Amino acid sequence: MLGAPLFGAGLLLGPAAGHFYADNNRRAWVGIGIRTGGALLPILATAGRSGYAGLGAFLVTAPIGGAVILVSAIYDIVVADNAARQHNRAHGLRVSDIRVVPTATGGPMRNQIGLTVEVGL
């Protein structure tokens, strides 16, 4: 139960992190606002409704809100990556290769799941 607020905050704020890094704050806040609106859509649509009317409004608006969140997050992640690269080039920062690879091996029983981060300079 304690992880749900962290997951929600990460979903709303996380895709904007690259924009904040690249000093593209306006784009970051627009994306956060769009994702927050998508999350609030089912809540606002069901306000004041009860029974089947509230359930019907929720069932219609929840997938729409989820799609808004998903599309906005994907867009921000793709655009933030480019903005961060441009920011790094403008400031003379260079990292030639960063890889994040999911792993399903490791540990004494070779059954651990995780991520491996490799940075090549």
Side-chain angles (χ1 to χ4, degrees):
M1 185 175 356
L2 295 175
L6 292 175
F7 176 77
L11 186 60
L12 297 178
L13 303 174
H19 290 296
F20 285 125
Y21 169 77
D23 294 327
N24 193 2
N25 295 333
R26 185 170 189 267
R27 176 63 233 165
W29 287 113
V30 167
I32 290 169
I34 290 171
R35 288 186 293 281
T36 301
L40 292 175
L41 181 64
I43 296 167
L44 296 174
T46 57
R49 298 178 188 209
S50 62
Y52 290 116
L55 178 61
F58 180 80
L59 292 175
V60 169
T61 57
I64 295 169
V68 167
I69 293 169
L70 183 64
V71 169
S72 173
I74 291 170
Y75 177 80
D76 264 1
I77 290 168
V78 169
V79 174
D81 179 59
N82 294 336
R85 289 179 193 276
Q86 289 175 357
H87 175 80
N88 288 346
R89 266 187 251 126
H91 291 86
L93 302 172
R94 186 172 167 262
V95 176
S96 63
D97 191 21
I98 297 177
R99 290 185 207 147
V100 178
V101 181
T103 60
T105 60
M109 304 282 291
R110 296 208 161 277
N111 59 358
Q112 294 179 343
I113 297 173
L115 294 174
T116 300
V117 178
E118 298 176 8
V119 179
L121 300 174

